[in-house]
Amino acid sequence: MSLAERAPKGDACEVCGADGDEHDVRRVYLPDRTDAERVPLCASCRGLWGDAL
Protein backbone atom coordinates (compact mmCIF):
# COMPACT_ATOMS: atom_id res chain seq x y z
CA MET A 1 0.00 0.00 0.00
CA SER A 2 1.43 3.38 -1.03
CA LEU A 3 1.69 6.45 1.15
CA ALA A 4 -1.09 8.14 -0.84
CA GLU A 5 -3.40 5.15 -0.34
CA ARG A 6 -2.94 5.47 3.43
CA ALA A 7 -3.67 9.22 3.38
CA PRO A 8 -6.99 10.54 4.77
CA LYS A 9 -9.95 10.56 2.40
CA GLY A 10 -11.03 13.84 0.78
CA ASP A 11 -14.34 15.23 -0.50
CA ALA A 12 -13.50 16.29 -4.06
CA CYS A 13 -10.33 16.40 -6.16
CA GLU A 14 -8.82 19.89 -6.26
CA VAL A 15 -7.50 19.39 -9.80
CA CYS A 16 -10.42 17.83 -11.71
CA GLY A 17 -13.33 18.06 -9.24
CA ALA A 18 -13.97 14.30 -9.09
CA ASP A 19 -16.25 13.18 -6.26
CA GLY A 20 -14.43 11.62 -3.32
CA ASP A 21 -16.76 8.67 -2.85
CA GLU A 22 -16.41 7.36 -6.40
CA HIS A 23 -12.82 8.31 -7.30
CA ASP A 24 -10.68 7.46 -4.25
CA VAL A 25 -9.89 11.07 -3.35
CA ARG A 26 -7.10 11.30 -0.77
CA ARG A 27 -5.59 14.30 1.01
CA VAL A 28 -1.86 14.18 0.14
CA TYR A 29 1.18 16.44 0.45
CA LEU A 30 2.44 17.65 -2.93
CA PRO A 31 6.23 17.62 -3.29
CA ASP A 32 6.39 21.00 -5.06
CA ARG A 33 4.49 22.95 -2.38
CA THR A 34 6.24 24.42 0.63
CA ASP A 35 3.13 25.18 2.71
CA ALA A 36 2.87 21.55 3.96
CA GLU A 37 -0.89 21.57 3.44
CA ARG A 38 -2.65 18.40 2.29
CA VAL A 39 -4.40 18.66 -1.07
CA PRO A 40 -7.34 16.41 -2.04
CA LEU A 41 -6.52 14.49 -5.25
CA CYS A 42 -8.27 11.59 -6.99
CA ALA A 43 -6.31 8.47 -7.99
CA SER A 44 -5.94 9.65 -11.60
CA CYS A 45 -4.59 13.07 -10.65
CA ARG A 46 -2.24 11.54 -8.04
CA GLY A 47 -0.81 9.54 -10.94
CA LEU A 48 0.43 12.81 -12.46
CA TRP A 49 3.03 12.99 -9.67
CA GLY A 50 4.04 9.32 -10.05
CA ASP A 51 6.09 7.96 -7.17
CA ALA A 52 6.69 11.43 -5.69
CA LEU A 53 3.59 11.12 -3.49
Side-chain angles (χ1 to χ4, degrees), residues 5-37:
E5 291 171 328
R6 291 183 296 222
K9 292 193 177 229
D11 295 328
C13 179
E14 191 170 293
V15 175
C16 71
D19 179 49
D21 293 330
E22 298 177 18
H23 295 95
D24 190 28
V25 174
R26 301 291 178 146
R27 297 184 54 78
V28 297
Y29 294 111
L30 297 181
D32 58 344
R33 290 185 57 173
T34 58
D35 59 7
E37 183 177 328

